[in-house]
Amino acid sequence: MPNATTQSLAGAIIVAIGLCCAPALAQQALRDGFESAESAWRDGGGDARYRFDVIERVQQGAHTGNGCEHVELSAGGNGHSAYLVYPIGNAPVIAELKPTVWLRGDRPGAQMYLRAVLPRAIDSRTNQPMTLLLPGSGYSTVGQWQQLQVGDPASALKQQTWNLRVQHRMVIDTREAYIDQVVLNLYVGDGKSHMFIDDLEVRGVVTPASEPASGTPATPVTMTGQGTTDAARQTAVELSNGSLLIDGRPFFPRFVEYRGEPLRRLRDLGFNGVVFETQPAAEQLLEARQLGLWLVAPPPMDGGDGPVGRDGVWGAEYDAVAAWHLGSGLTDADLETTRKLAESIRRRDRRMLRPLVGMPITQLMPYSRVLDVVVFARDPLGTSFEQADFRDWIEQRLRLARPGTPCWVTVQTELAPELFEQMTLLSQGRAQPPRVSVEQARAVAFSAIAAGARGVVFRSNNRLDANDAATQYRAALVELMNLELQLLEPWTAGGSQVTTVSGVRYDPPNLSGGPRQLRPMGDPKQMINPTLTISPDVQGLMLQTERARLLLPVWQGKGAQYVAGQSAANNLSFILPGVPESTEAYELTPGGLRPPFKRQRVTGGVRVTFDEAGMSSMAVLTQDPLVVRSLSQRLAETGRRTTELQRWLAGEALTQATEIDIQLTAAGRPVPEATPYFSAARANMQLSDQRLAENDLAGTVLAARRAQRPVRLVERAHWQAATRLLPSPASSPLAASISTLPEHLVFSSTLATIRWQPNRLPEGDFEDIGRMVNAGWQRLQYPIDGVKAEVDLSTTFRHGGVGCLHLSATPSAERGTALLEVPPVWMTSPAVQVEQGSWLRISGWVYVPGAIGGSYDGVMIYDSQTGPALAERIDQTARWQQFVLLRAARYSGPLTITIALTGTGEAWIDDVMIETAPGPASGPSLSTAPKWSPR
């Protein structure tokens, strides 16, 4: 089976030795109900660090019959696979072949494969046949039996071999191909996981009359490609003034996390690099060089933690690597190991002296002396962390590092997997994968650039080459963003930030594109005269090179991390300081540079006005005709594709919003303005199609933008109505996305009928410190120089009873309100045993009289099974404020609550409770073993 060196391409290519087919064949169905005592599944290898603690037959909890297979897996570290294999003989790949297996587990993500052997596809160097993995369905219904299948092995084989032919220009003969193993990839993340397997069936299997002779174990095959030479290019990769230079030219990384896709697919989506969590295989290194893709990957190390290479020096085979990845989630405990590794790498990488990249969480100052680039990872979308704070958070993190340290920042393309898991559990499997909107992803990326990021890494939990609707949408989103970021590369790679300025609106937007004004835009409280409105939700970012300035409107607003607002305005102006009066201003559109903007010399600089501004609006200011010519040429090259993507994504947004509006209206939750808004949107989409047919690219995009404005207004109105009665949008995971609002409505209605069991959390009223300690409450503290942290019981403020919990962190005068890397103090509750699938209501009261300093997380509250990704964050409150977290238990076992004071200040907490209720459609418990633990 594949290991870390062979996990690549469209599946995993391996050599099978000594396999032969008997001539006599008989078609039948292979079935195994796992009723016998001996297990038939075997460890098949994988690229993760894992161990199968248990592979055994058990006589309880079966899907049918009495017995099933029980597997317990312990995993950790990087990697994506831990395979379990079941031999089925030699089954030729025919249309009638229908393999299925039933699975039940405590975590989602397991996937079924078939191993196909290609006896006529012989590697010329080893003279052995190749094999590859044909992907099937994945497991998602946590706690319930689910049938997995490979629906059409013949088509899957055709697709996989086609991918290989295209990528490697190889002739691959699939005649006489057969399936010899059913494969399960049971790696679902770090920690322990339990799986139960039952009722394996392979219909249409054709087996030999006599079993083939046993062969030797499969061994890896190394692909070298065809038409290439061993002499690789040697390219200079270096850092200069924070910018990554490749062959002396500024380079802005648009990287993506690797999830097993063909590298060509990622290149075609516009990425210029790929981040590997494990060492890429030799064929991937070669393919990346051929495609012009750069890699960020861990250094090749031997078993003694020494670098691999001839004479201890890495050769040309690694020339596709732009930087070495030294690890994610680095903390105090990893600092010394990371320092020694960095020293070793620098001794061994004398040919290219590539930068060292890592993702530290704590100790940013010492890590920034070891690493050349630090990566900041934060996923605000769908969480209680305000998107508007994202830029400030990055800037504050940079201040904790060595001055001048460059940073790359991650950009979400999906909501957190923990969030989607809760959506699935609370909706009883009905929730569809929620989409990150183009507006949200742009806001995160542009905020990162505004904060000084010198590269972006697109987060990706799932592959980008699947054919489902959610993946196709995400692929279009990242391709569009890559086209836009590529256009901005002269400024983002080598430019400097000049300033940010507030936007000023002079009239409300025209949603229909015609004369009728549907809705004023802006808060009347912010009107400073009848025609002038300051726009607090948009700022202008100005970047500069020697020959041109770039102006980007960066949209933000409260709650935009859940559902974006309109993010658009008519006659939006910015006053730009330091711009010469002779400078011309042009808007960058897919159809080319638009004629000079309206501009006017005013006090403080030059006022530049967008007639219609939106999320994708951009302006360039220059006196240099060469800049105008170069940009015009680049727009001509990419304009058609950019236009098609913007038009398609606008249509998808309209379709989704219409479907959701229909469902919510039928449930008695209409938005009164929806009918005229959707009419305006559809009219503009029709106009967009007409303009595209006429090859009017600028007109196509303008009409598509106008169609998106009313759609976003309807979505925002629905979301505000749905969350109005919640203590916070973070209370219900189903309220975190517009696409799950119908399920949130059903969930809310169900809650009204739930009879919650009495509070199960001891001493959450915080009346007696001795009883709290005996019950299991624990105080945890992270020592920070210049910060004094305390925990006590207070009678000064209380919500109920005679006392409450008081957390405080006081900074010294020298430290002030500088950002803290980690919370200085937090409390964890006693463990409460919960049953997998049960519903949880975690509640309490918080009073924060003053703003929390040195943090953008305030008081953070979360449970141990969902973690910080679903945390509630509370900053300053005028009075006692309730928090409520509605969750579903991910597994049977302990659950604790963490209450963290993430910055300096004071907070009072009282009357914390955990109430439980059986889930409305809970499946049978996977196990009562208390040793199960969260990821």
Side-chain angles (χ1 to χ4, degrees), residues 93-432:
V93 182
I94 58 177
E96 293 79 11
L97 195 65
K98 302 296 181 185
T100 60
V101 67
W102 287 83
L103 201 65
R104 178 164 63 91
D106 61 328
R107 296 164 71 176
Q111 187 172 4
M112 179 181 181
Y113 294 86
L114 298 177
R115 189 174 81 160
V117 180
L118 312 180
R120 288 180 174 266
I122 304 299
D123 183 81
S124 58
R125 297 172 304 120
T126 63
N127 198 34
Q128 301 297 333
M130 297 187 302
T131 74
L132 54 84
L133 294 180
L134 309 182
S137 57
Y139 179 73
S140 59
T141 59
V142 175
Q144 302 178 33
W145 284 105
Q146 178 182 343
Q147 188 181 55
L148 306 186
Q149 61 181 335
V150 179
D152 188 350
S155 296
L157 176 63
K158 182 178 179 181
Q159 180 64 45
Q160 297 283 57
T161 52
W162 183 85
N163 289 339
L164 296 179
R165 289 185 183 113
V166 171
Q167 292 167 31
H168 296 278
R169 301 176 184 177
M170 299 170 57
V171 176
I172 299 177
D173 191 342
T174 61
R175 290 177 295 170
E176 300 177 12
Y178 59 89
I179 305 298
D180 72 334
Q181 289 180 355
V182 173
V183 181
L184 292 176
N185 181 7
L186 297 185
Y187 179 76
V188 292
D190 294 351
K192 279 190 178 296
S193 58
H194 290 246
M195 291 288 171
F196 294 84
I197 309 167
D198 205 356
D199 293 338
L200 172 70
E201 181 176 13
V202 184
R203 286 181 291 149
V205 65
V206 178
T207 56
S210 60
E211 290 297 320
S214 59
T216 56
T219 56
V221 61
T222 303
M223 302 291 296
T224 59
Q226 297 184 3
T228 61
T229 66
D230 292 335
R233 71 180 190 278
Q234 183 172 348
T235 305
V237 180
E238 59 181 320
L239 284 171
S240 177
N241 296 323
S243 295
L244 185 64
L245 303 182
I246 295 183
D247 280 342
R249 300 181 61 183
F251 179 87
F252 185 79
R254 303 185 309 276
F255 291 173
V256 64
E257 295 174 338
Y258 181 67
R259 292 294 178 255
E261 307 93 331
L263 294 182
R264 183 178 296 274
R265 172 60 174 162
L266 299 177
R267 193 279 310 271
D268 291 345
L269 290 175
F271 297 109
N272 55 18
V274 181
V275 177
F276 278 75
E277 296 176 355
T278 58
Q279 176 58 216
E283 61 268 23
Q284 292 173 309
L285 292 165
L286 177 61
E287 184 184 9
R289 286 163 49 196
Q290 294 170 337
L291 295 173
L293 277 176
W294 291 97
L295 306 183
V296 175
M301 312 298 286
D302 63 22
D305 291 335
V308 174
R310 186 172 49 206
D311 301 325
V313 178
W314 293 308
E317 65 271 23
Y318 295 104
D319 280 1
V321 176
W324 298 116
H325 192 351
L326 271 61
S328 301
L330 301 172
T331 64
D332 310 48
D334 307 303
L335 182 58
E336 189 57 33
T337 301
T338 304
R339 182 182 287 115
K340 292 179 180 178
L341 178 59
E343 293 172 355
S344 179
I345 292 171
R346 290 188 170 108
R347 288 195 303 269
R348 307 293 182 174
D349 197 25
R350 296 195 296 268
R351 288 181 65 252
M352 295 182 66
L353 297 176
R354 282 161 279 220
L356 307 183
V357 175
M359 190 183 294
I361 298 176
T362 62
Q363 298 292 326
L364 268 171
M365 181 59 75
Y367 269 115
S368 65
R369 295 190 176 104
V370 175
L371 303 170
D372 299 302
V373 178
V374 293
V375 180
F376 295 150
R378 179 135 211 177
D379 296 339
L381 302 181
T383 76
S384 59
F385 185 87
E386 287 291 339
Q387 182 176 292
D389 292 333
F390 187 58
R391 172 188 169 185
D392 292 339
W393 177 81
I394 298 170
E395 291 176 342
Q396 290 290 336
R397 292 281 289 176
L398 276 172
R399 292 190 182 102
L400 296 173
R402 176 175 50 86
T405 301
C407 76
W408 299 346
V409 177
T410 60
V411 176
Q412 280 176 272
T413 66
E414 300 171 278
L415 299 186
E418 297 91 341
L419 179 57
F420 180 54
E421 182 183 21
Q422 284 294 303
M423 290 174 168
T424 302
L425 291 171
L426 294 174
S427 68
Q428 301 169 62
R430 293 188 299 267
Q432 297 298 313

